């Protein structure tokens, strides 16, 4: 006798981490269809069979069960947007996408971790879903880490499992602020040396970077952003940049980069990116992406208003 409801069942299933696929086909009417699915699984090596399932209420079901062939794309870790696109209720999920054609005219999406082109082999009743089994006729795969789905959230394989030694666990690896500070100063050292050699202060360099990201900013706007980095922007800094001819001022739009200022910013940005690539070269790309994502979450959390602990009576 069943002792749970569908919501509880869904939550329990969510504890099983899966990859994320997009399955595509060209229907018998010539219409391209595609859906996001994490029900993909292997069935057999010989013959090579895979399966996935689709809700019986899906408007794409007929196209997938009557097509001449379909393609299963295992998404790479950087393709969350593609997963969201084919999971959304939009009339044309392929709009703006570039793709090739595969078996049966199925759209083939680029830059995925793996791709399987299949012919429909079997169909089975799966309750409120149709289980579709395909025979793999051709495939392609890469070394890119896959996109992962767990507990209703996206993730990625990081390669970090098992790399932390027992000694590091015991010591905790160092205090977070100390590690962040050391990483910042090591990565920033060459950049600081170069802008100092050019006669720029750290605040002046920050202004060039901010205007390089978004031109035409007022002093107040620049000062607010600088404050989030712990810097206090002064009139003296702006006056120095104006005198050097690296920024100009528009009475209506605010401060703008001059061609000279933009060139300085681009040269320093190239140095920064080169140093970052060099520093992160020993790591998997997924590890670097994970680190950036965790830091963004940390900053976002810290930027939320803090509770005063006073409640209304």
């Amino acid at each position: 006798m069943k002792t749970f409801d569908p919501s509880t069942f869904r939550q329990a299933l969510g504890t099983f981490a899966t990859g994320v696929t997009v399955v595509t086909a060209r229907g018998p009417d010539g219409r391209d269809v595609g859906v996001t699915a994490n029900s993909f699984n292997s069935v057999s090596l010989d013959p090579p069979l895979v399966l996935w399932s689709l809700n019986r209420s899906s408007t794409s079901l007929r196209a997938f069960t009557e097509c001449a062939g379909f393609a299963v794309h295992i998404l790479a870790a950087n393709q969350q947007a593609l997963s969201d696109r084919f999971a959304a209720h939009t009339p044309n999920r392929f709009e703006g996408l570039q793709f090739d054609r595969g078996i049966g005219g199925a759209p083939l999406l680029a830059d995925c971790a793996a791709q399987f082109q299949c012919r429909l082999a079997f169909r089975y009743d799966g309750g409120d879903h149709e289980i579709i089994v395909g025979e793999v006729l051709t495939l392609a795969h890469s070394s890119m880490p896959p996109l992962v789905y767990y507990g209703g959230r996206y993730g990625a394989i990081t390669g970090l499992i098992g790399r932390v030694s027992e000694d590091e666990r015991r010591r905790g690896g160092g205090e977070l602020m100390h590690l962040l500070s050391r990483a910042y100063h090591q990565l920033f050292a060459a950049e600081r040396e170069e802008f100092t050699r050019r006669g720029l202060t750290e605040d002046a360099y920050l202004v060039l970077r901010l205007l390089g990201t978004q031109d035409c900013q007022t002093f107040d706007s620049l000062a607010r952003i600088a404050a989030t980095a712990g810097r206090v922007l002064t009139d003296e800094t702006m006056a120095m940049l104006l005198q050097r001819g690296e920024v100009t001022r528009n009475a209506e739009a605010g401060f703008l980069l001059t061609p000279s200022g933009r060139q300085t910013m681009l040269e320093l940005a190239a140095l920064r990116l080169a140093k970052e690539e060099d520093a992160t070269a020993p790591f998997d790309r997924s590890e670097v992406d994970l680190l950036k994502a965790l830091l963004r979450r940390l900053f976002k959390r810290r930027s939320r208003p803090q509770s005063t602990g006073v409640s209304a009576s």
Side-chain angles (χ1 to χ4, degrees), residues 203-204 206-207 210-211 214-228 231-242 247-256:
D203 289 343
L206 176 60
V207 170
L210 293 176
L211 291 177
Q214 181 182 337
D215 224 345
C216 305
Q217 295 196 56
T218 65
F219 178 87
D220 288 343
S221 172
L222 291 168
R224 280 195 300 272
I225 302 173
T228 65
R231 313 300 302 182
V232 178
L233 188 59
T234 64
D235 291 329
E236 288 76 11
T237 295
M238 302 308 299
M240 180 188 77
L241 289 170
L242 287 166
V247 302
T248 185
R249 190 169 192 174
N250 181 305
E252 296 179 358
F255 292 97
L256 302 89

Side-chain angles (χ1 to χ4, degrees), residues 20 22 36 75-87 147-149 152-155:
V20 182
V22 168
T36 297
L75 300 188
N78 62 353
Q79 292 183 308
Q80 179 181 332
L82 205 55
S83 172
D84 291 338
R85 171 192 282 255
F86 283 93
L147 184 65
V148 174
Y149 197 68
R153 298 172 64 180
Y154 291 106

